[in-house]
mmCIF file of all heavy atoms in Angstrom:
data_model
loop_
_atom_site.group_PDB
_atom_site.id
_atom_site.type_symbol
_atom_site.label_atom_id
_atom_site.label_comp_id
_atom_site.label_asym_id
_atom_site.label_seq_id
_atom_site.Cartn_x
_atom_site.Cartn_y
_atom_site.Cartn_z
ATOM 1 N N VAL A 71 22.765 -0.133 42.560
ATOM 2 C CA VAL A 71 22.079 -0.109 41.267
ATOM 3 C C VAL A 71 21.528 -1.507 41.018
ATOM 4 O O VAL A 71 22.288 -2.468 40.898
ATOM 5 C CB VAL A 71 23.041 0.305 40.140
ATOM 6 C CG1 VAL A 71 22.315 0.304 38.800
ATOM 7 C CG2 VAL A 71 23.634 1.674 40.431
ATOM 8 N N SER A 72 20.198 -1.621 40.952
ATOM 9 C CA SER A 72 19.604 -2.958 40.905
ATOM 10 C C SER A 72 18.250 -2.917 40.214
ATOM 11 O O SER A 72 17.690 -1.848 39.952
ATOM 12 C CB SER A 72 19.435 -3.509 42.329
ATOM 13 O OG SER A 72 18.568 -2.666 43.079
ATOM 14 N N GLN A 73 17.740 -4.116 39.936
ATOM 15 C CA GLN A 73 16.393 -4.256 39.393
ATOM 16 C C GLN A 73 15.812 -5.578 39.863
ATOM 17 O O GLN A 73 16.512 -6.593 39.932
ATOM 18 C CB GLN A 73 16.394 -4.228 37.864
ATOM 19 C CG GLN A 73 14.984 -4.405 37.266
ATOM 20 C CD GLN A 73 14.946 -4.222 35.767
ATOM 21 O OE1 GLN A 73 15.829 -3.601 35.185
ATOM 22 N NE2 GLN A 73 13.926 -4.758 35.129
ATOM 23 N N VAL A 74 14.518 -5.557 40.205
ATOM 24 C CA VAL A 74 13.816 -6.751 40.651
ATOM 25 C C VAL A 74 12.986 -7.306 39.494
ATOM 26 O O VAL A 74 12.224 -6.575 38.866
ATOM 27 C CB VAL A 74 12.903 -6.437 41.853
ATOM 28 C CG1 VAL A 74 12.066 -7.661 42.229
ATOM 29 C CG2 VAL A 74 13.734 -5.978 43.039
ATOM 30 N N ILE A 75 13.147 -8.593 39.215
ATOM 31 C CA ILE A 75 12.279 -9.299 38.274
ATOM 32 C C ILE A 75 11.132 -9.858 39.100
ATOM 33 O O ILE A 75 11.319 -10.775 39.908
ATOM 34 C CB ILE A 75 13.026 -10.427 37.539
ATOM 35 C CG1 ILE A 75 14.303 -9.882 36.878
ATOM 36 C CG2 ILE A 75 12.130 -11.075 36.502
ATOM 37 C CD1 ILE A 75 14.060 -8.822 35.834
ATOM 38 N N THR A 76 9.937 -9.301 38.947
ATOM 39 C CA THR A 76 8.814 -9.598 39.836
ATOM 40 C C THR A 76 8.230 -10.981 39.573
ATOM 41 O O THR A 76 8.507 -11.624 38.557
ATOM 42 C CB THR A 76 7.713 -8.552 39.668
ATOM 43 O OG1 THR A 76 7.203 -8.618 38.324
ATOM 44 C CG2 THR A 76 8.254 -7.143 39.925
ATOM 45 N N GLN A 77 7.379 -11.422 40.501
ATOM 46 C CA GLN A 77 6.767 -12.743 40.385
ATOM 47 C C GLN A 77 5.879 -12.830 39.149
ATOM 48 O O GLN A 77 5.816 -13.877 38.500
ATOM 49 C CB GLN A 77 5.949 -13.061 41.636
ATOM 50 C CG GLN A 77 5.306 -14.443 41.607
ATOM 51 C CD GLN A 77 4.645 -14.813 42.923
ATOM 52 O OE1 GLN A 77 4.953 -14.244 43.962
ATOM 53 N NE2 GLN A 77 3.749 -15.771 42.888
ATOM 54 N N LYS A 78 5.182 -11.748 38.801
ATOM 55 C CA LYS A 78 4.332 -11.762 37.616
ATOM 56 C C LYS A 78 5.163 -12.041 36.360
ATOM 57 O O LYS A 78 4.776 -12.844 35.504
ATOM 58 C CB LYS A 78 3.607 -10.423 37.479
ATOM 59 C CG LYS A 78 2.690 -10.327 36.255
ATOM 60 C CD LYS A 78 1.989 -8.980 36.225
ATOM 61 C CE LYS A 78 1.110 -8.849 34.988
ATOM 62 N NZ LYS A 78 0.011 -9.814 34.958
ATOM 63 N N THR A 79 6.334 -11.392 36.268
ATOM 64 C CA THR A 79 7.207 -11.623 35.112
ATOM 65 C C THR A 79 7.759 -13.038 35.128
ATOM 66 O O THR A 79 7.782 -13.723 34.100
ATOM 67 C CB THR A 79 8.368 -10.608 35.123
ATOM 68 O OG1 THR A 79 7.832 -9.285 35.098
ATOM 69 C CG2 THR A 79 9.258 -10.795 33.912
ATOM 70 N N VAL A 80 8.200 -13.495 36.301
ATOM 71 C CA VAL A 80 8.796 -14.829 36.405
ATOM 72 C C VAL A 80 7.792 -15.907 36.009
ATOM 73 O O VAL A 80 8.126 -16.860 35.288
ATOM 74 C CB VAL A 80 9.313 -15.074 37.833
ATOM 75 C CG1 VAL A 80 9.734 -16.528 38.013
ATOM 76 C CG2 VAL A 80 10.476 -14.151 38.144
ATOM 77 N N GLN A 81 6.555 -15.771 36.463
ATOM 78 C CA GLN A 81 5.576 -16.828 36.267
ATOM 79 C C GLN A 81 4.856 -16.766 34.925
ATOM 80 O O GLN A 81 4.365 -17.797 34.447
ATOM 81 C CB GLN A 81 4.535 -16.784 37.396
ATOM 82 C CG GLN A 81 5.117 -16.996 38.781
ATOM 83 C CD GLN A 81 5.738 -18.365 38.942
ATOM 84 O OE1 GLN A 81 5.258 -19.353 38.406
ATOM 85 N NE2 GLN A 81 6.833 -18.432 39.677
ATOM 86 N N GLU A 82 4.781 -15.598 34.289
ATOM 87 C CA GLU A 82 3.925 -15.469 33.119
ATOM 88 C C GLU A 82 4.667 -15.372 31.792
ATOM 89 O O GLU A 82 4.084 -15.655 30.746
ATOM 90 C CB GLU A 82 3.004 -14.246 33.279
ATOM 91 C CG GLU A 82 2.022 -14.393 34.439
ATOM 92 C CD GLU A 82 1.044 -13.228 34.507
ATOM 93 O OE1 GLU A 82 1.066 -12.375 33.592
ATOM 94 O OE2 GLU A 82 0.261 -13.183 35.474
ATOM 95 N N ILE A 83 5.942 -14.968 31.780
ATOM 96 C CA ILE A 83 6.669 -14.896 30.508
ATOM 97 C C ILE A 83 7.060 -16.296 30.066
ATOM 98 O O ILE A 83 7.676 -17.047 30.839
ATOM 99 C CB ILE A 83 7.922 -14.005 30.642
ATOM 100 C CG1 ILE A 83 7.508 -12.536 30.715
ATOM 101 C CG2 ILE A 83 8.881 -14.214 29.490
ATOM 102 C CD1 ILE A 83 8.653 -11.561 30.692
ATOM 103 N N PRO A 84 6.707 -16.700 28.838
ATOM 104 C CA PRO A 84 7.081 -18.042 28.366
ATOM 105 C C PRO A 84 8.591 -18.141 28.160
ATOM 106 O O PRO A 84 9.215 -17.244 27.605
ATOM 107 C CB PRO A 84 6.315 -18.172 27.038
ATOM 108 C CG PRO A 84 6.082 -16.767 26.593
ATOM 109 C CD PRO A 84 5.929 -15.943 27.834
ATOM 110 N N LEU A 85 9.171 -19.244 28.624
ATOM 111 C CA LEU A 85 10.611 -19.463 28.520
ATOM 112 C C LEU A 85 10.877 -20.821 27.890
ATOM 113 O O LEU A 85 10.366 -21.842 28.371
ATOM 114 C CB LEU A 85 11.272 -19.403 29.899
ATOM 115 C CG LEU A 85 11.305 -18.054 30.611
ATOM 116 C CD1 LEU A 85 11.854 -18.226 32.020
ATOM 117 C CD2 LEU A 85 12.145 -17.071 29.836
ATOM 118 N N ASN A 86 11.662 -20.835 26.856
ATOM 119 C CA ASN A 86 12.060 -22.093 26.239
ATOM 120 C C ASN A 86 13.103 -22.761 27.132
ATOM 121 O O ASN A 86 14.238 -22.311 27.233
ATOM 122 C CB ASN A 86 12.645 -21.835 24.849
ATOM 123 C CG ASN A 86 13.000 -23.134 24.142
ATOM 124 O OD1 ASN A 86 12.576 -24.207 24.549
ATOM 125 N ND2 ASN A 86 13.771 -23.026 23.076
ATOM 126 N N GLY A 87 12.700 -23.827 27.802
ATOM 127 C CA GLY A 87 13.564 -24.490 28.753
ATOM 128 C C GLY A 87 13.202 -24.217 30.192
ATOM 129 O O GLY A 87 13.640 -24.919 31.097
ATOM 130 N N ARG A 88 12.398 -23.152 30.431
ATOM 131 C CA ARG A 88 11.899 -22.831 31.775
ATOM 132 C C ARG A 88 13.043 -22.648 32.773
ATOM 133 O O ARG A 88 13.032 -23.192 33.866
ATOM 134 C CB ARG A 88 10.946 -23.931 32.258
ATOM 135 C CG ARG A 88 9.649 -23.958 31.486
ATOM 136 C CD ARG A 88 8.797 -25.175 31.832
ATOM 137 N NE ARG A 88 8.589 -25.319 33.258
ATOM 138 C CZ ARG A 88 7.682 -24.639 33.979
ATOM 139 N NH1 ARG A 88 6.912 -23.757 33.383
ATOM 140 N NH2 ARG A 88 7.546 -24.860 35.272
ATOM 141 N N HIS A 89 14.056 -21.842 32.406
ATOM 142 C CA HIS A 89 15.162 -21.531 33.298
ATOM 143 C C HIS A 89 15.086 -20.052 33.678
ATOM 144 O O HIS A 89 15.115 -19.183 32.802
ATOM 145 C CB HIS A 89 16.500 -21.836 32.634
ATOM 146 C CG HIS A 89 16.616 -23.244 32.132
ATOM 147 N ND1 HIS A 89 16.502 -24.332 32.963
ATOM 148 C CD2 HIS A 89 16.822 -23.738 30.874
ATOM 149 C CE1 HIS A 89 16.642 -25.438 32.253
ATOM 150 N NE2 HIS A 89 16.827 -25.099 30.996
ATOM 151 N N PHE A 90 14.999 -19.774 34.980
ATOM 152 C CA PHE A 90 14.768 -18.400 35.424
ATOM 153 C C PHE A 90 15.907 -17.466 35.030
ATOM 154 O O PHE A 90 15.685 -16.272 34.817
ATOM 155 C CB PHE A 90 14.559 -18.364 36.942
ATOM 156 C CG PHE A 90 15.825 -18.354 37.743
ATOM 157 C CD1 PHE A 90 16.419 -17.159 38.116
ATOM 158 C CD2 PHE A 90 16.439 -19.537 38.120
ATOM 159 C CE1 PHE A 90 17.592 -17.144 38.843
ATOM 160 C CE2 PHE A 90 17.607 -19.528 38.849
ATOM 161 C CZ PHE A 90 18.180 -18.329 39.213
ATOM 162 N N LEU A 91 17.125 -17.983 34.888
ATOM 163 C CA LEU A 91 18.255 -17.121 34.560
ATOM 164 C C LEU A 91 18.125 -16.526 33.161
ATOM 165 O O LEU A 91 18.767 -15.523 32.849
ATOM 166 C CB LEU A 91 19.568 -17.904 34.685
ATOM 167 C CG LEU A 91 20.836 -17.092 34.977
ATOM 168 C CD1 LEU A 91 20.657 -16.243 36.228
ATOM 169 C CD2 LEU A 91 22.035 -18.015 35.131
ATOM 170 N N ASP A 92 17.264 -17.120 32.322
ATOM 171 C CA ASP A 92 17.030 -16.554 30.991
ATOM 172 C C ASP A 92 16.262 -15.238 31.051
ATOM 173 O O ASP A 92 16.159 -14.523 30.046
ATOM 174 C CB ASP A 92 16.257 -17.557 30.119
ATOM 175 C CG ASP A 92 17.091 -18.781 29.778
ATOM 176 O OD1 ASP A 92 18.334 -18.659 29.782
ATOM 177 O OD2 ASP A 92 16.522 -19.857 29.509
ATOM 178 N N LEU A 93 15.698 -14.906 32.225
ATOM 179 C CA LEU A 93 15.011 -13.629 32.400
ATOM 180 C C LEU A 93 15.970 -12.499 32.755
ATOM 181 O O LEU A 93 15.599 -11.333 32.727
ATOM 182 C CB LEU A 93 13.954 -13.742 33.510
ATOM 183 C CG LEU A 93 12.754 -14.641 33.229
ATOM 184 C CD1 LEU A 93 11.926 -14.823 34.493
ATOM 185 C CD2 LEU A 93 11.899 -14.072 32.122
ATOM 186 N N ALA A 94 17.205 -12.844 33.108
ATOM 187 C CA ALA A 94 18.166 -11.836 33.548
ATOM 188 C C ALA A 94 18.430 -10.754 32.501
ATOM 189 O O ALA A 94 18.613 -9.583 32.863
ATOM 190 C CB ALA A 94 19.478 -12.507 33.964
ATOM 191 N N PRO A 95 18.476 -11.064 31.182
ATOM 192 C CA PRO A 95 18.712 -9.995 30.200
ATOM 193 C C PRO A 95 17.636 -8.909 30.164
ATOM 194 O O PRO A 95 17.812 -7.905 29.481
ATOM 195 C CB PRO A 95 18.775 -10.758 28.866
ATOM 196 C CG PRO A 95 19.273 -12.114 29.234
ATOM 197 C CD PRO A 95 18.604 -12.399 30.559
ATOM 198 N N LEU A 96 16.527 -9.088 30.898
ATOM 199 C CA LEU A 96 15.539 -8.019 31.012
ATOM 200 C C LEU A 96 16.085 -6.848 31.837
ATOM 201 O O LEU A 96 15.533 -5.756 31.804
ATOM 202 C CB LEU A 96 14.256 -8.544 31.663
ATOM 203 C CG LEU A 96 13.467 -9.596 30.865
ATOM 204 C CD1 LEU A 96 12.282 -10.087 31.677
ATOM 205 C CD2 LEU A 96 12.997 -9.031 29.539
ATOM 206 N N THR A 97 17.164 -7.093 32.586
ATOM 207 C CA THR A 97 17.800 -6.044 33.372
ATOM 208 C C THR A 97 18.767 -5.254 32.501
ATOM 209 O O THR A 97 19.580 -5.841 31.784
ATOM 210 C CB THR A 97 18.576 -6.670 34.552
ATOM 211 O OG1 THR A 97 17.674 -7.442 35.353
ATOM 212 C CG2 THR A 97 19.206 -5.598 35.412
ATOM 213 N N PRO A 98 18.690 -3.912 32.512
ATOM 214 C CA PRO A 98 19.629 -3.118 31.704
ATOM 215 C C PRO A 98 21.086 -3.446 32.031
ATOM 216 O O PRO A 98 21.453 -3.608 33.199
ATOM 217 C CB PRO A 98 19.288 -1.674 32.110
ATOM 218 C CG PRO A 98 17.871 -1.723 32.573
ATOM 219 C CD PRO A 98 17.714 -3.070 33.225
ATOM 220 N N GLY A 99 21.901 -3.562 30.974
ATOM 221 C CA GLY A 99 23.313 -3.865 31.161
ATOM 222 C C GLY A 99 23.622 -5.335 31.305
ATOM 223 O O GLY A 99 24.760 -5.703 31.598
ATOM 224 N N THR A 100 22.610 -6.199 31.109
ATOM 225 C CA THR A 100 22.799 -7.640 31.278
ATOM 226 C C THR A 100 22.610 -8.355 29.948
ATOM 227 O O THR A 100 21.705 -8.029 29.183
ATOM 228 C CB THR A 100 21.810 -8.202 32.310
ATOM 229 O OG1 THR A 100 21.984 -7.523 33.551
ATOM 230 C CG2 THR A 100 22.018 -9.685 32.524
ATOM 231 N N MET A 101 23.447 -9.342 29.690
ATOM 232 C CA MET A 101 23.379 -10.104 28.433
ATOM 233 C C MET A 101 23.890 -11.520 28.684
ATOM 234 O O MET A 101 24.502 -11.803 29.717
ATOM 235 C CB MET A 101 24.237 -9.434 27.356
ATOM 236 C CG MET A 101 25.700 -9.283 27.739
ATOM 237 S SD MET A 101 26.709 -8.492 26.488
ATOM 238 C CE MET A 101 26.731 -9.771 25.246
ATOM 239 N N THR A 102 23.595 -12.406 27.747
ATOM 240 C CA THR A 102 24.148 -13.754 27.823
ATOM 241 C C THR A 102 25.627 -13.701 27.450
ATOM 242 O O THR A 102 26.052 -12.831 26.695
ATOM 243 C CB THR A 102 23.410 -14.700 26.867
ATOM 244 O OG1 THR A 102 23.462 -14.152 25.539
ATOM 245 C CG2 THR A 102 21.954 -14.850 27.279
ATOM 246 N N PRO A 103 26.446 -14.613 27.971
ATOM 247 C CA PRO A 103 27.879 -14.591 27.649
ATOM 248 C C PRO A 103 28.122 -14.722 26.157
ATOM 249 O O PRO A 103 27.378 -15.399 25.446
ATOM 250 C CB PRO A 103 28.433 -15.799 28.418
ATOM 251 C CG PRO A 103 27.454 -16.040 29.514
ATOM 252 C CD PRO A 103 26.116 -15.650 28.958
ATOM 253 N N ASN A 104 29.176 -14.066 25.656
ATOM 254 C CA ASN A 104 29.478 -14.147 24.227
ATOM 255 C C ASN A 104 30.005 -15.532 23.866
ATOM 256 O O ASN A 104 30.283 -16.362 24.727
ATOM 257 C CB ASN A 104 30.488 -13.052 23.834
ATOM 258 C CG ASN A 104 31.740 -13.101 24.687
ATOM 259 O OD1 ASN A 104 32.277 -14.167 24.940
ATOM 260 N ND2 ASN A 104 32.191 -11.941 25.149
ATOM 261 N N GLN A 105 30.167 -15.768 22.575
ATOM 262 C CA GLN A 105 30.462 -17.113 22.091
ATOM 263 C C GLN A 105 31.807 -17.654 22.555
ATOM 264 O O GLN A 105 32.008 -18.868 22.572
ATOM 265 C CB GLN A 105 30.400 -17.127 20.557
ATOM 266 C CG GLN A 105 29.000 -16.924 20.007
ATOM 267 C CD GLN A 105 28.041 -17.996 20.502
ATOM 268 O OE1 GLN A 105 28.313 -19.189 20.381
ATOM 269 N NE2 GLN A 105 26.917 -17.582 21.063
ATOM 270 N N ASN A 106 32.752 -16.778 22.865
ATOM 271 C CA ASN A 106 34.035 -17.263 23.362
ATOM 272 C C ASN A 106 34.151 -17.099 24.870
ATOM 273 O O ASN A 106 35.255 -17.081 25.415
ATOM 274 C CB ASN A 106 35.195 -16.534 22.666
ATOM 275 C CG ASN A 106 35.146 -15.027 22.898
ATOM 276 O OD1 ASN A 106 34.175 -14.522 23.448
ATOM 277 N ND2 ASN A 106 36.184 -14.319 22.474
ATOM 278 N N GLY A 107 33.008 -16.976 25.555
ATOM 279 C CA GLY A 107 33.000 -16.853 27.006
ATOM 280 C C GLY A 107 33.332 -18.168 27.687
ATOM 281 O O GLY A 107 33.397 -19.237 27.060
#
């Protein structure tokens, strides 16, 4: 069970900080760690 974040998404979506891992929540079931993580 997987999903590919394509080059178009990686290169064209604006990111505050320009860190590719911030695109990971675009994958279903993925989120940033909670506050007590």
Side-chain angles (χ1 to χ4, degrees):
V71 179
S72 61
Q73 179 173 339
V74 174
I75 307 298
T76 63
Q77 182 173 340
K78 180 179 178 64
T79 302
V80 171
Q81 299 297 324
E82 295 185 6
I83 286 187
L85 292 174
N86 183 15
R88 291 172 52 80
H89 305 301
F90 83 91
L91 206 55
D92 292 335
L93 293 171
L96 294 176
T97 302
T100 302
M101 58 180 290
T102 55
N104 54 44
Q105 292 301 308
N106 60 352

